Amino acid sequence: MGIFRTLHRSFLILFAVVVISIIALVHFSISKMVAEQSLAQQKSLSPALSLVVEQLMQPLHVSETLGRAKELQDLMSSQDIDEAAMFAMLKRLESEFGLSFFVASERTRMQYNSDGSKLELIEGEVSWYFKYKDTPENAIADIGKWENAHFYIDIKIFDEEQQFLGFFGIGKSLASFINIFEIYQREYGYDFIFVDQQKDITLSSDPSLLARDSTFQNLADLDWVKQAAPNGLNSTSLNNTLISIAENDFLVAEIGIDPFDWTMYILTPLSDRQAAVSRTFIISVVSLLVLVFALFLLIYNLLYYFKREMQKNVQTDPLTQLPNRNKVELRYAEMLDRKHSVSLLLVDIDHFKAVNDTHGHNAGDNVLRQVANMLQSELRDEDIIGRWGGEEFVILLADTSPEQAFEVAQKLRERLASMTASTGSLSLKVTASFGVSHTEVERPLVDILARADDALYQAKREGRNMVKMRLIDAA
């Protein structure tokens, strides 16, 4: 994590240096006479970056990240959708992120919403699902829920065989965007218009331009657009175009929002005396905005990549590729947070020191890897196995009674005793001793581990290759 913090600081310094350099370049390219005015306009554009990142990009990253969650994929791929679990997950996400969430299931053809409602997906009545299902894009931005219009991000979800499971998405009320636009317009005088690939207006600081009852206004139908692009938008760019609306002059800036294939238009008011200077300035500032925005996305994705890889390395045992102690402790805490009871199995390979002493540490490493693979292959997907240290492994079984955990341990012991491990040059028979413990209530891992450790040593004292259980006395 020290390396990550160093990398994080380096990127922030790089970001600050580049932004300061570009701002300085823009500043000194403008005459001294209009310097103060230019600086004020430059600062007024800064919230535009925040608006795009906070209101559009952050919900996209949140939905993409949550869309990869195993809990969601398991719920959506189940033969019988557990609606109670689905609603509980969506409600939890709404509480954590302050956004509306939904799942549209291909299996049940139902849409489940975080407000507890659900909607049957009937072709001809619910058009968006069937419209976007067969599109090549995996992330789609849309406007819907017309009784209280919302901006939606729809993420396609697939199972491990790349079979389409449906959509997972986030919704934000258009009213929240309108409030933000009003504040921005009041402080800086700018207007915003967002359009999709068909140039239909999806978001705007002018409420009269917003869609109503699933009917969108097209940018090409606006009077000022007809004047600026008489031959149509396909043949004319509006970027850096001077326009007149109600006898007021505006300069248009055009910025692509690539993840959604949208375009954002910023309409900047200009006075007659400032038009020429403002035009040069806006071009410079918009270029700055695009560069900073691109740099921000680059740094954000690099940091996310390095953080993910570093966390994986920090929480993974390099020899067996199993979770290490830190990861096991985190997963144990997650199980308790979800109100699961937990059974714990502590596994110790019998006479492992003799393997290292007789055949060498490379041979011992080979045996450890084979034992780890065998144990993992015999467990459920929701079970957790990690390397606790040396020749010891720990297994967490959620919602498993002590009796069931004992049976699992016996099965693993028998399976291990029947396998032959290869050291690389010869084959060995391997056995292991097991200690079992259990908790129904939230308590420190060290407590339940201590009982399993006691049971494990009892198994060793009584001859090894056996399972013993030691439970925590009820309080």
Side-chain angles (χ1 to χ4, degrees), residues 41-102:
Q41 289 178 328
Q42 178 184 325
K43 289 181 178 179
S44 72
L45 273 182
S46 297
L49 177 61
S50 298
L51 181 141
V52 173
V53 172
E54 294 175 7
Q55 305 301 321
L56 299 179
M57 300 306 299
Q58 286 185 357
L60 173 63
H61 288 308
V62 168
S63 58
E64 288 179 333
T65 301
L66 295 176
R68 292 191 290 268
K70 191 174 187 305
E71 176 188 6
L72 174 66
Q73 295 179 358
D74 287 347
L75 283 172
M76 295 183 69
S77 61
S78 175
Q79 290 296 328
D80 297 313
I81 299 295
D82 187 341
E83 293 190 355
M86 184 76 76
F87 283 124
M89 178 194 68
L90 293 172
K91 188 66 178 176
R92 186 180 73 248
L93 293 178
E94 180 180 290
S95 175
E96 290 178 2
F97 293 95
L99 298 166
S100 299
F101 290 85
F102 72 89

Side-chain angles (χ1 to χ4, degrees), residues 3 28 48 133 145 161 174 191 198 204-205 219 221 227 279 292 303 307 343 354 399 417 420 423 441 448:
I3 296 175
F28 288 109
K133 174 184 174 182
K145 195 177 180 181
E161 286 74 35
L174 286 192
D191 279 300
Q198 289 75 42
S204 175
S205 56
L219 185 69
D221 295 331
Q227 297 173 9
R279 180 170 185 171
V292 172
L303 288 174
K307 181 179 180 181
S343 287
D399 296 326
T420 300
T423 65
V441 298
I448 183 175

